[in-house]
Amino acid sequence: MKGFKMLSLILGLLLLFSLSLLAAERPYIAMISKGFQHQFWQAVKSGAEKAAKDLNVDITFEGPESEAMVDKQIEMLQAALAKKPAALCIAALDSKAVIPYLEKARSMGIPVIGFDSGVDSDIPVTTVATDNIKAAGYAADKMAEFIKKVGEVALVVHDQVSRTGIDRRDGFVNRIKQRYPMIKIVDIQYGGGDHLKSTDLTKAIIQAHPNLKGIFGANEGSAIGVINAVKEMKKVGKIVVIGYDSGKQQIDAIRSGLMAGAITQNPVGMGYMAVEAAVKAIKGEKLPKFIDSGFYWYDKTNIDDPKIKACLYE
């Protein structure tokens, strides 16, 4: 009996040792997003967690409280590198400020994967993102269609330092300039992705340009700010609103007719593809420099299409 107890104890210890070895072998991937203030990031996180489960890796997913907190994101980046992850996924708030830390990651042999927003460097082995220039160009086409290709329009963009902010602004502006000579862009403002600040900026634009026919809000917070301002200024039906991303307020605004439509990305797929790319990078597999996670236009006519609904979030 004594021998049996001893054997059981030894087998138990061996099992614990084996499990600890297996846990130690699971690659750890650090993911740093732009923030947590929008449902968009929660959707990206859910896709990343699904991939982590499917691919047997451990991840952490964190981001600053607001998308204006570049310094906070840098602190998170430093802390993540101190943990020596097997790979780093970063959605940079500032496409230049993160570069010294990405150089450090490279020197440590840590592959870097960009997601949502790229950086001004070739360090990331790949970037998983929407083709924001193409998507914003499509938003410009829809704006032109709604205002019959003539009149004044404006933009409220989340920032002018992140790759998404730059590409969505330029994608919209350049398409208007190239194809619609009778449309004039009268103002571009930057609200930091904050809906309150974006509301105030939009109200100022409307006051300064009483003949304004349309406004493009370049992310969830910007679009919500535009919606709120149009309502407060009693311009519903007089100013065409086109948004980007999803969220309950944009979905409600489209259903009610306050917003003409919006571009939605594929946030769940983006999170999944970022982790998938990180795992391939850890294994040394070659990746394309850009992985397009796709986009859709949605409005009142197709908002309930299963293909669209899968990319919307509240």
Side-chain angles (χ1 to χ4, degrees):
M1 190 65 183
K2 193 174 179 180
F4 177 74
K5 284 184 177 176
M6 181 61 73
L7 180 61
S8 298
L9 179 62
I10 291 170
L11 288 174
L13 289 172
L14 283 173
L15 178 62
L16 285 173
F17 181 68
S18 299
L19 289 173
S20 66
L21 277 179
L22 284 174
E25 288 171 357
R26 285 166 62 95
Y28 160 56
I29 299 166
M31 300 189 74
I32 300 175
S33 74
K34 285 182 174 178
F36 268 107
Q37 68 186 132
H38 304 314
Q39 289 303 310
F40 176 82
W41 295 113
Q42 297 299 326
V44 175
K45 181 172 180 277
S46 71
E49 289 173 340
K50 172 78 166 55
K53 186 177 179 183
D54 290 350
L55 302 173
N56 196 34
V57 296
D58 291 322
I59 66 166
T60 50
F61 193 102
E62 58 185 340
E65 290 83 357
S66 100
E67 295 186 19
M69 300 174 76
V70 175
D71 291 344
K72 183 73 178 290
Q73 189 186 52
I74 294 294
E75 288 175 14
M76 290 178 165
L77 186 50
Q78 290 176 300
L81 291 176
K83 295 177 185 174
K84 299 179 180 175
L88 170 72
C89 297
I90 175 83
L93 279 172
D94 188 316
S95 60
K96 291 184 172 62
V98 298
I99 291 175
Y101 304 95
L102 302 191
E103 286 173 346
K104 182 178 179 184
R106 181 165 61 181
S107 71
M108 295 168 69
I110 299 169
V112 176
I113 289 84
F115 68 101
D116 179 67
S117 191
V119 296
D120 295 343
S121 163
D122 63 356
I123 293 175
V125 293
T126 190
T127 297
V128 180
T130 306
D131 184 336
N132 284 296
I133 291 178
K134 185 177 176 183
Y138 193 82
D141 287 336
K142 297 302 289 188
M143 177 67 81
E145 179 184 323
F146 282 113
I147 67 172
K148 303 188 186 311
K149 301 182 181 180
V150 61
E152 296 180 348
V153 300
L155 291 81
V156 178
V157 184
H158 39 297
D159 63 67
Q160 50 188 328
V161 293
S162 75
R163 202 63 256 167
T164 60
I166 295 166
D167 287 349
R168 292 177 198 174
R169 176 197 64 198
D170 292 352
F172 188 95
V173 169
N174 292 338
R175 181 66 62 88
I176 292 292
K177 288 181 177 176
Q178 290 163 1
R179 295 191 180 179
Y180 308 105
M182 301 297 285
I183 296 177
K184 182 180 180 183
I185 295 172
V186 293
D187 204 350
I188 303 173
Q189 294 292 330
Y190 303 92
D194 181 88
H195 69 278
L196 295 175
K197 185 176 179 183
S198 298
T199 300
D200 291 340
L201 289 170
T202 305
K203 287 162 72 174
I205 293 172
I206 293 172
Q207 285 174 331
H209 303 280
N211 296 320
L212 198 68
K213 284 195 169 182
I215 307 177
F216 172 50
N219 82 338
E220 184 181 348
S222 307
I224 291 170
V226 173
I227 291 168
N228 291 340
V230 167
K231 278 196 296 188
E232 290 179 27
M233 299 292 283
K234 302 188 187 309
K235 291 288 187 179
V236 176
K238 297 176 182 174
I239 293 178
V240 174
V241 178
I242 287 179
Y244 210 107
D245 296 325
S246 181
K248 187 174 188 314
Q249 286 177 266
Q250 286 200 82
I251 290 172
D252 289 346
I254 287 173
R255 290 193 186 282
S256 71
L258 202 162
M259 176 180 270
I263 296 291
T264 183
Q265 304 182 76
N266 178 9
V268 176
M270 185 185 294
Y272 195 100
M273 290 179 210
V275 172
E276 193 174 45
V279 171
K280 289 181 179 178
I282 292 167
K283 292 177 179 175
E285 294 182 25
K286 188 169 176 58
L287 291 162
K289 287 302 282 183
F290 181 77
I291 298 174
D292 186 354
S293 50
F295 74 88
Y296 295 103
W297 165 263
Y298 69 106
D299 56 25
K300 198 184 286 188
T301 66
N302 68 352
I303 195 168
D304 292 316
D305 184 316
K307 182 176 67 179
I308 301 295
K309 286 186 86 169
C311 295
L312 302 181
Y313 49 88
E314 293 196 348

